[in-house]
Structure formats: structure tokens, C-alpha cells
Amino acid sequence: MMRMLVTDTWELTGQERDWLLEQGIEVEICRDDAPYEGDASRFELVACKFLFSYTPIERFTNLKYIQLYMAGFDHVPMDYIREHGIEFHNARDVYSIPIAEFAIGGVLALYKKFRDFDREQRTRQWNVRRYLGELYGKQVLIAGAGSIGAAFARRFRGFDCHVTGLARTAGERDGFDRVYAMDRLDSCLKDADILVLALPSNQETYHIINERRLALMKPEAVLVNICRGAVVDEPALVDALQSGRLAGAVLDAFETEPLPQQSPLWDMENVIVTPHTSYGAENNHRRIIEVMNRNLLSSPILGLR
């Protein structure tokens, strides 16, 4: 019998725990946002989000397998995992649909002036607007052509947008009209009506959108950040938005979270601020369980087949 430490980010149902037990896996539940105080050496498997931010991975001396409940893994000690031959899986594809829906909804809210209409509804005002923005025909640039970027691409193309992707290497990818290498970022920014950031957080992407690159963008452009706050130079973004050099932004990720109360982003009419919640959705539990079960059954290390 193997033992699996599962954090309380996801509440396993009795049926799901029974299935794991049938595979020879005994489950223990612990908090995801606190150090694990028990004997970590008892576990061969871990399923978590932020456990290793609170509990050193070195304590899990018999660890063979990690399932992360999120797509990003910049907070996970990947060097240690590789050195010790630990099988690692993130939650690729689990959150792509809700994140893409959420952020496109934010862009539409800006284009269609929903904030103004909401305010006017509450004060019973009837102000007709005849020149609201459209997604139709817009040039969309998606920096990051992975599973989340591809989910954006497919949906933007459903609105008859022209979608360009940026990735480590150029080539054809599902959903995109074209995909260039990241070294084309500057030239692509000049044509973009909507810039979507779907990048990992690392040394290469830190402040990749900075004052110089914001100055390359159209004044009527909208920036969408649903990945990590560190990919954007926040003070430079604030300045561009306040000065009118950028039309708007949909922001679900920030350099400091929660977003500090004194941030000017809170009060900007051309900015939608949400608390890093674009991934939240009704079907996430089903998707993550499907991914976890599929990964467990196909694991060459565990040999459950």
C-alpha cells in the first residue's frame, strides 16, 4: 500500500478516495497553506498547490510522484525534483477554459461599457451609446501559446479576430492564425489591439512588458494579464493607463497580492481588477480529478496498470 498526502485545496469525495484505495493508495488530507507537521517520509505521492512553499521537499525522503493542482509551477523546487527523479505533473488544460472565458468577458466589459451601464442602471439613467467597441476584426496578440493561450485563440477566432501567438519557437499551432518566436514581440506589439499575457514567471519573462514595450502599443489597445504579476512592470503600466497611452487593462494577477489598497489601479475606470480568480469554475473539480487519475494510471514509476 502506497501513501498519498493530499492537501485540502480540493476536497476528495468518498467515491474518489475509494477509487484511490482500490489502486493501492491510502490518502491523508492536510492543509495546503501551512507546514505539514507529521512524518513526511511516509508518503510516496503528494497532490497539492502550495505545500512545498511551507514544507521543505527534502522532508519527503521517499517521494516518487507529485501532482500539482495548478498550471504554474514557478514556486516548486524543480531542480530538486529533477535531481531525485521524482515524477511531476502540473494541471495543464484544467483551467484553460475558465481563464479564457473570464478574461474575454473582461475585454467585452470594457468594449461594451458594462461598468457605465451598471452605474446608470442603479441610478435609473437611460443613456444610449451608438459606438461601442467590437471584437470583430481585432488583432489579438497572445504571448504564450500553450494550453491556456490556445484556449484564448480558439475563442477569439470565434469572434472573427485575427490571432497571433508568440512562443519559444515559431510554427503552426491549433487555434492560431500564426505563431512567431518570442523575439518578434516588439514588432507584433505595434499591431495588437488586444495583448494577452499567458506566460510563465521566470527570469526571461520578468517585466517583459515594461515602459519601452508599452510605448510600442496602440493608444486604443487593451492589455490582459491572467498569468503572473511579475511579467508586467506595474508602475509603468499605471503610468501608461493614466496618461492615455493605453486604453485599458484586464488584470487578474499582480506583483503584490492581495493588491495593496493604495494601488491606483483600484480606482481606474479603464481597468478591471479581479483577485487572481480567473481559474475558478464549476467544472474544475471534475477536470482535476480526471487529470490526476489519468496521470496515476499511466505513471511508469507507480506501475498501477
Side-chain angles (χ1 to χ4, degrees):
M1 183 73 68
M2 291 182 290
R3 292 185 175 88
M4 184 177 201
L5 187 63
V6 177
T7 65
D8 58 5
T9 307
W10 295 104
E11 185 175 347
L12 291 175
T13 66
Q15 184 178 7
E16 289 158 358
R17 294 185 70 156
D18 288 344
W19 183 87
L20 288 168
L21 199 58
E22 289 172 5
Q23 311 311 312
I25 300 173
E26 183 180 321
V27 171
E28 180 178 324
I29 307 296
C30 75
R31 289 179 59 180
D32 194 76
D33 60 351
Y36 178 69
E37 301 294 349
D39 180 7
S41 67
R42 295 185 300 119
F43 300 100
E44 293 92 357
L45 306 92
V46 166
C48 67
K49 284 183 77 173
F50 295 109
L51 177 66
F52 298 120
S53 297
Y54 298 92
T55 307
I57 195 171
E58 290 82 3
R59 287 185 53 202
F60 294 85
T61 53
N62 292 306
L63 191 59
K64 299 178 180 178
Y65 182 100
I66 296 170
Q67 174 68 62
L68 206 63
Y69 285 147
M70 55 197 302
F73 48 88
D74 47 288
H75 63 292
V76 178
M78 291 305 299
D79 288 343
Y80 181 94
I81 289 168
R82 295 186 190 98
E83 289 169 6
H84 289 77
I86 298 169
E87 185 176 342
F88 175 83
H89 299 278
N90 67 341
R92 178 181 172 85
D93 290 331
V94 170
Y95 307 109
S96 303
I97 291 171
I99 288 174
E101 288 184 358
F102 191 97
I104 290 174
V107 175
L108 284 169
L110 290 178
Y111 275 21
K112 304 302 181 182
K113 306 292 184 185
F114 285 165
R115 178 171 284 162
D116 291 346
F117 287 126
D118 176 66
R119 186 186 304 111
E120 290 164 7
Q121 178 181 343
R122 287 185 277 111
T123 55
R124 292 172 168 78
Q125 297 181 56
W126 186 272
N127 295 323
V128 176
R129 290 168 175 78
R130 303 189 186 280
Y131 298 100
L132 297 171
E134 297 182 4
L135 281 176
Y136 174 81
K138 291 294 189 293
Q139 297 286 341
V140 178
L141 177 63
I142 303 175
S147 60
I148 293 176
F152 271 105
R154 289 191 294 270
R155 285 156 181 78
F156 273 119
R157 288 185 71 182
F159 285 95
D160 294 318
C161 296
H162 306 286
V163 183
T164 299
L166 294 173
R168 286 186 178 274
T169 57
E172 293 185 5
R173 284 177 172 78
D174 180 48
F176 294 88
D177 292 305
R178 64 198 69 82
V179 175
Y180 298 128
M182 282 298 298
D183 60 9
R184 294 281 295 272
L185 175 59
D186 286 3
S187 60
C188 290
L189 282 174
K190 299 173 183 177
D191 297 322
D193 298 300
I194 300 166
L195 169 64
V196 177
L197 301 174
L199 295 164
S201 179
N202 53 44
Q203 290 182 340
E204 294 176 5
T205 62
Y206 177 75
H207 284 189
I208 193 170
I209 302 301
N210 50 31
E211 182 179 9
R212 182 184 67 79
R213 288 195 165 118
L214 287 166
L216 296 175
M217 298 179 68
K218 299 177 181 179
E220 62 270 25
V222 170
L223 180 147
V224 177
N225 185 11
I226 47 76
C227 55
R228 291 289 187 268
V231 304
V232 178
D233 181 340
E234 211 163 277
L237 175 62
V238 167
D239 184 63
L241 290 163
Q242 288 179 329
S243 66
R245 289 185 287 107
L246 191 67
V250 178
L251 305 175
D252 189 51
F254 305 88
E255 288 206 75
T256 300
E257 295 183 358
L259 182 64
Q261 291 292 309
Q262 65 271 23
S263 172
L265 292 169
W266 287 110
D267 299 317
M268 292 186 182
E269 288 292 314
N270 57 342
V271 177
I272 293 178
V273 169
T274 55
H276 211 142
T277 195
S278 60
Y279 64 89
E282 60 182 297
N283 292 313
N284 282 349
H285 183 92
R286 173 183 59 78
R287 282 189 287 257
I288 191 64
I289 292 300
E290 288 175 354
V291 166
M292 182 169 75
N293 291 354
R294 184 170 63 248
N295 289 339
L296 285 169
L297 289 174
S298 63
S299 168
I301 293 177
L302 304 181
L304 296 182
R305 288 186 183 277

